[in-house]
Amino acid sequence: MARDWADLVIVDAARSMLAPEPAAAAEATRRRRGMFTRLRENLRKTRQALGAEIQATLSGELDAESWERLEEALIYADVGARTTAQVVAELEREAAAGGLVGAEALSARLVELLAAIARTGDDRIDLRAKPTVILMAGVNGTGKTTTAGKLAHHLSREFGLRVVLAAADTFRAAAVEQLEVWAQRSGAQFVRGPDGTDPGSVAYDGVSAALDSGADVLIIDTAGRLHTQEDLMGELAKVRRVVAKQIPDAPHETLLTVDATTGQNGLRQAQIFAQAIEVSGLVLTKLDGTAKGGIALAIASDLGIPVKLIGIGERLDDLRPFDAEDFARALVQ
């Protein structure tokens, strides 16, 4: 069953000891099941293609051509060449040893291998620091500002945390206005600066506001930027330095939003961002039916960056904790 917010977020002992009401627990179970159903439907095209290749691979003799077809299907799903070669080689080895007999066994083992790859690093969000500073980064159009707003909403609703949202995307008025709307929805304190002001100064003001108000979490929305823009990447690194001067171990989380529909370009984006700043987790957005989804596995395998959140639609509850096993099953079965 899919992970829920309580599985993703680490809070202080007092909050973690609060047992959910029976009705709330039942609602959480319903949401988990519904999330997997939505995810499975959104990845239907990829799953059908992989399923067809698994059946084709086992329809005759398991030869080099059979495994090559399976490799092509995984690469089509954006799993990436290196990860695909690793997975198929292991499947081929186990099949040759007699450990995999039939399509069902191969499919189940493929799910296990893909899930193991996706479970890299620490895939939880630790909110025990007060305030915990979360820096949002990503390319324009990946849903970064929306993710920041939805995250604030969930942290407030699910855990009763006091959240500050800082609009450090100062060169795009629409982003500031959008984040302000999310702050109002979630009951978060909102910090902004004049249009065109230095993003570092907004980040500074955000930290000051969080410290002064005793907030639990500060989420800083930075300007969306192309990963090829070195000056803007440098600006992002500067925002991190400004925050660290006020709180030495901050930011505690740096979440990179990647549009799942961009395929292998998303891997390149993650590589460049990881070189400029210390990315602690990935938010895979726009898993809405057009994405192939495998890019999450490529990034986890090649860069060791764990996927922590996924976006499967526009609704508030469509931002969900990432579950490696469910994601792999939605891709394959």
Side-chain angles (χ1 to χ4, degrees):
M1 191 181 297
R3 297 169 78 207
D4 202 19
W5 288 93
D7 305 313
L8 170 73
V9 172
I10 303 173
V11 292
D12 60 44
R15 285 191 170 91
S16 65
M17 291 172 62
L18 295 176
E21 296 292 331
E27 173 62 15
T29 298
R30 185 194 66 78
R31 285 188 304 181
R32 293 183 191 203
R33 289 173 177 163
M35 184 270 177
F36 176 70
T37 300
R38 288 278 309 281
L39 177 62
R40 191 172 185 276
E41 176 58 27
N42 288 357
L43 296 176
R44 177 173 55 85
K45 292 180 181 179
T46 298
R47 185 175 61 260
Q48 288 177 343
L50 283 174
E53 288 306 323
I54 290 172
Q55 293 296 331
T57 298
L58 294 177
S59 62
E61 182 182 355
L62 290 177
D63 55 17
E65 184 178 348
S66 301
W67 296 114
E68 185 176 335
R69 287 199 304 267
L70 183 58
E71 280 189 349
E72 290 174 353
L74 288 169
I75 290 174
Y76 168 80
D78 285 332
V79 173
R82 191 174 74 85
T83 307
T84 292
Q86 173 187 339
V87 168
V88 173
E90 179 60 22
L91 286 174
E92 187 175 359
R93 185 191 67 77
E94 294 184 18
L100 298 175
V101 179
E104 185 175 341
L106 177 62
S107 176
R109 183 56 178 148
L110 179 57
V111 167
E112 290 177 354
L113 291 172
L114 294 179
I117 288 170
R119 282 193 294 265
T120 187
D122 185 357
D123 64 353
R124 301 189 69 187
I125 297 177
D126 191 339
L127 300 179
R128 288 174 293 183
K130 189 170 181 179
T132 298
V133 180
I134 301 175
L135 189 66
M136 303 297 303
V139 172
N140 284 313
T142 58
K144 175 179 51 58
T145 299
T146 298
T147 297
K150 288 181 178 180
L151 180 57
H153 169 84
H154 283 288
L155 295 182
S156 175
R157 184 184 71 176
E158 306 285 341
F159 304 98
L161 299 176
R162 290 173 293 174
V163 181
V164 175
L165 282 169
D169 186 351
T170 58
F171 298 100
R172 195 165 64 94
V176 176
E177 294 168 2
Q178 181 185 5
L179 197 66
E180 186 171 18
V181 170
W182 280 111
Q184 293 169 354
R185 288 182 183 177
S186 61
Q189 183 178 347
F190 183 65
V191 175
R192 64 175 297 173
D195 292 345
T197 194
D198 178 29
S201 68
V202 177
Y204 182 93
D205 290 344
V207 174
S208 298
L211 290 170
D212 292 343
S213 65
D216 299 296
V217 181
L218 166 63
I219 302 175
I220 302 174
D221 182 35
T222 63
R225 62 205 71 218
L226 294 173
H227 56 288
T228 54
Q229 295 173 313
E230 293 185 7
D231 54 336
L232 291 178
M233 296 300 290
E235 177 188 277
L236 184 57
K238 176 185 174 183
V239 169
R240 283 184 60 91
R241 292 194 298 271
V242 167
V243 170
K245 285 182 179 179
Q246 294 166 279
I247 303 176
D249 57 344
H252 305 92
E253 287 277 351
T254 298
L255 300 178
L256 176 67
T257 58
V258 172
D259 181 344
T261 65
T262 60
Q264 290 300 301
N265 189 45
L267 175 60
R268 180 57 180 161
Q269 291 173 16
Q271 288 172 330
I272 299 299
F273 274 93
Q275 291 171 5
I277 57 175
E278 185 178 343
V279 177
S280 61
L282 192 74
V283 183
L284 193 64
T285 62
K286 304 188 181 180
L287 284 166
D288 57 359
T290 57
K292 297 172 183 177
I295 188 59
L297 305 173
I299 293 175
S301 176
D302 288 9
L303 303 180
I305 300 175
V307 182
K308 300 196 176 186
L309 291 161
I310 57 174
I312 60 174
E314 297 298 324
R315 301 180 310 192
L316 271 172
D317 283 337
D318 288 339
L319 179 69
R320 301 295 301 163
F322 177 73
D323 185 289
E325 184 175 354
D326 274 0
F327 192 81
R329 284 198 293 130
L331 278 174
V332 176
Q333 295 178 334

